[in-house]
Amino acid sequence: MKSILKSIFLFVLLSSCTNKYNNTTTIYIGSYRIIDQLIPYPYIIKQNQDSIFLYNHKGLIVDKIISSKIKKHKTVEFKEKHFKILNKKNDSFYAFDLLDSLNFRPFKNGLPNHKNSAKFIQVQSNIDIGTFQNDFKNSVWEYKVVEDENSNPNKDLELKQTIKFNDSNVNILTNYYYQGIKTISESEIKEYNIFKIDDVYFLSYQKEVNNPQTIYQIVNYNSSVITLRDYSSREVKDISFNKTQVNSEDYNQLINESTYYSNCFDGYQGEYYYGEDVTFNKGNEYLMDYLSKDAPISDAKSGYIIIHFNINCKGNVGRFGLIQMDKEFKKTAFSNTLIKHLLNKVRTLNDFPSSNSQMEWLYYKDVHAFLMFKLHNGKIIDLCP
């Protein structure tokens, strides 16, 4: 009997030790830096029992140090990044890189600035998706966009994205729908990486070195659904792409029919009224004539149509949003033909100057702008700004 009890005790003890050992690895994903700008911070930190690893957006180890814990007020000193740990919680922490004064601006007294720090969030292990890299390519996947702080103001357009992974890059097609009808489409191409750290899979996009991209956690995959966990905004959200029946040839045709648009910096977009001059080169009078020419008058409504968009560093226009109001500034809806006309006209504008921030305290390459149309009895009578 004593022998049996000893065996049971030993088994329980070993199980406890094993579980404790398995739980000593914690993975944190870089979410964003600068709290009020939400600029992607594409790094991953893994804490083991006696060491801490730093990974880049490709899943490659950048550095490793011998250390037991990530603690508040402690500095984790990798060779090229010295992370001062701020506001440590059970499932997240903020880190300020003492070696990077360009992207992590301190207070005037030289102390780390919490506002300009980078947020890291603990990830949870996902289900077994070992077949992910074998059969996801060359299929077309669709996602109904859930907007967040990174999106332009929009109340009246429905956005759907379709993606297609090739060997080294991914096509991203964004379709804009108004009242259930597709009005415009834009596309871009990004490189991508799929990698695994321990038992967790990640997907990262890649552009130029100075244009950081979000790292997503792959939390689910089967033959019909890919689910990504997006940590890049204040609220973590899941993005589910559903497999479509669109074939590669038809999808490539849709890409060819779309307008190519890409932000030069997928972080903060400045506002058009900041220090840079992003006024349309040909002036508002030209805009008024060009955008209202041949505009359909299908109803007698009066009110306002506001089209939001980005102007990238090359002067190109994209990333649209739509808000409509009546004369009392209450929600309304103008005709599909008028909205389609205006959106297609705005996306052809190519005489905005390129923009780059020259402000020491504010970095951006792209600008958020809008055009507000005033209508009377269905006719455009004014335009601002």
Side-chain angles (χ1 to χ4, degrees):
M1 182 67 178
K2 286 183 179 180
S3 177
I4 295 175
L5 289 175
K6 284 182 180 180
S7 298
I8 294 174
F9 174 78
L10 183 60
F11 173 79
V12 172
L13 179 62
L14 289 173
S15 298
S16 175
C17 291
T18 301
N19 289 335
K20 182 178 179 181
Y21 177 78
N22 288 339
N23 291 332
T24 55
T25 296
T26 306
I27 297 176
Y28 296 93
I29 187 170
S31 175
Y32 55 81
R33 64 176 176 85
I34 308 185
I35 291 174
D36 59 355
Q37 295 182 19
L38 303 183
I39 298 171
Y41 197 66
Y43 290 94
I44 291 174
I45 291 177
K46 183 176 78 171
Q47 176 187 294
N48 279 355
Q49 195 170 27
D50 60 356
S51 56
I52 300 176
F53 296 80
L54 177 66
Y55 296 82
N56 65 13
H57 65 282
K58 295 183 178 181
L60 302 176
I61 296 176
V62 177
D63 203 357
K64 171 190 174 182
I65 61 172
I66 303 301
S67 182
S68 59
K69 271 195 174 182
I70 297 173
K71 296 180 180 179
K72 185 177 181 180
H73 302 316
K74 179 180 178 181
T75 300
V76 180
E77 296 188 0
F78 297 110
K79 184 179 296 184
E80 297 181 359
K81 294 184 178 296
H82 288 184
F83 287 127
K84 181 76 173 180
I85 306 302
L86 312 173
N87 291 16
K88 176 75 168 65
K89 297 181 179 180
N90 290 333
D91 60 352
S92 64
F93 63 85
Y94 288 89
F96 187 93
D97 188 355
L98 299 173
L99 299 184
D100 186 356
S101 59
L102 178 63
N103 293 314
F104 293 81
R105 296 186 180 277
F107 289 113
K108 290 183 178 180
N109 58 10
L111 294 176
N113 184 350
H114 171 261
K115 174 183 173 182
N116 287 341
S117 62
K119 185 175 184 179
F120 285 84
I121 302 175
Q122 182 178 343
V123 304
Q124 303 297 321
S125 298
N126 44 259
I127 63 173
D128 181 16
I129 51 175
T131 61
F132 183 80
Q133 298 191 56
N134 296 328
D135 59 0
F136 71 97
K137 294 179 183 178
N138 299 318
S139 295
V140 178
W141 306 82
E142 183 179 66
Y143 159 62
K144 183 178 179 181
V145 176
V146 177
E147 295 169 333
D148 54 31
E149 301 97 327
N150 298 309
S151 308
N152 276 333
N154 175 48
K155 291 185 178 179
D156 299 323
L157 290 176
E158 181 183 14
L159 279 64
K160 292 183 180 179
Q161 280 188 347
T162 52
I163 62 173
K164 178 176 170 289
F165 293 97
N166 304 306
D167 288 336
S168 61
N169 57 46
V170 57
N171 291 103
I172 303 173
L173 176 68
T174 303
N175 293 315
Y176 296 83
Y177 293 83
Y178 177 66
Q179 295 180 345
I181 299 174
K182 185 168 72 173
T183 57
I184 54 174
S185 300
E186 66 185 29
S187 60
E188 65 177 321
I189 298 175
K190 298 182 181 183
E191 295 180 12
Y192 73 94
N193 301 279
I194 292 174
F195 57 92
K196 183 179 181 182
I197 299 176
D198 293 351
D199 61 343
V200 184
Y201 279 87
F202 298 94
L203 165 68
S204 68
Y205 291 145
Q206 182 180 353
K207 286 188 179 178
E208 297 79 7
V209 174
N210 60 349
N211 188 2
Q213 301 289 294
T214 299
I215 299 177
Y216 301 93
Q217 181 187 1
I218 305 171
V219 295
N220 189 21
Y221 170 76
N222 57 47
S223 59
S224 58
V225 177
I226 300 174
T227 303
L228 307 176
R229 186 152 295 158
D230 182 0
Y231 297 88
S232 64
S233 58
R234 291 183 180 88
E235 297 293 330
V236 177
K237 63 181 180 181
D238 285 354
I239 300 172
S240 289
F241 288 89
N242 297 296
K243 191 173 182 178
T244 72
Q245 298 303 312
V246 179
N247 61 48
S248 294
E249 184 177 342
D250 290 341
Y251 185 74
N252 291 336
Q253 180 62 33
L254 293 173
I255 292 290
N256 292 334
E257 293 171 355
S258 68
T259 300
Y260 188 86
Y261 178 82
S262 182
N263 282 337
C264 297
F265 184 72
D266 287 292
Y268 181 75
Q269 283 79 54
E271 298 296 339
Y272 73 95
Y273 49 78
Y274 284 165
E276 312 303 321
D277 183 7
V278 291
T279 304
F280 189 71
N281 289 332
K282 295 182 179 179
N284 258 32
E285 185 175 345
Y286 173 89
L287 275 177
M288 178 70 177
D289 292 340
Y290 175 73
L291 296 173
S292 61
K293 183 179 180 181
D294 300 325
I297 303 175
S298 56
D299 53 42
K301 286 187 176 181
S302 299
Y304 304 89
I305 297 173
I306 306 172
I307 297 178
H308 290 266
F309 53 92
N310 287 352
I311 306 167
N312 69 12
C313 66
K314 300 176 182 177
N316 300 324
V317 172
R319 305 287 173 93
F320 295 95
L322 174 67
I323 297 175
Q324 302 170 92
M325 301 178 291
D326 62 18
K327 291 191 298 183
E328 283 72 41
F329 306 108
K330 296 179 181 177
K331 183 177 176 62
T332 191
F334 289 89
S335 70
N336 182 278
T337 53
L338 177 58
I339 297 301
K340 185 173 183 178
H341 167 86
L342 291 177
L343 284 171
N344 277 280
K345 283 279 194 174
V346 170
R347 76 168 176 170
T348 64
L349 297 175
N350 55 13
D351 284 289
F352 285 101
S354 60
S355 61
N356 272 290
S357 169
Q358 301 298 321
M359 302 180 191
E360 182 180 354
W361 59 275
L362 185 62
Y363 177 80
Y364 62 84
K365 288 189 175 182
D366 315 289
V367 171
H368 161 246
F370 69 89
L371 292 172
M372 183 169 71
F373 301 86
K374 183 177 181 180
L375 291 93
H376 179 70
N377 292 333
K379 184 178 179 180
I380 299 172
I381 60 172
D382 199 4
L383 174 65
C384 65

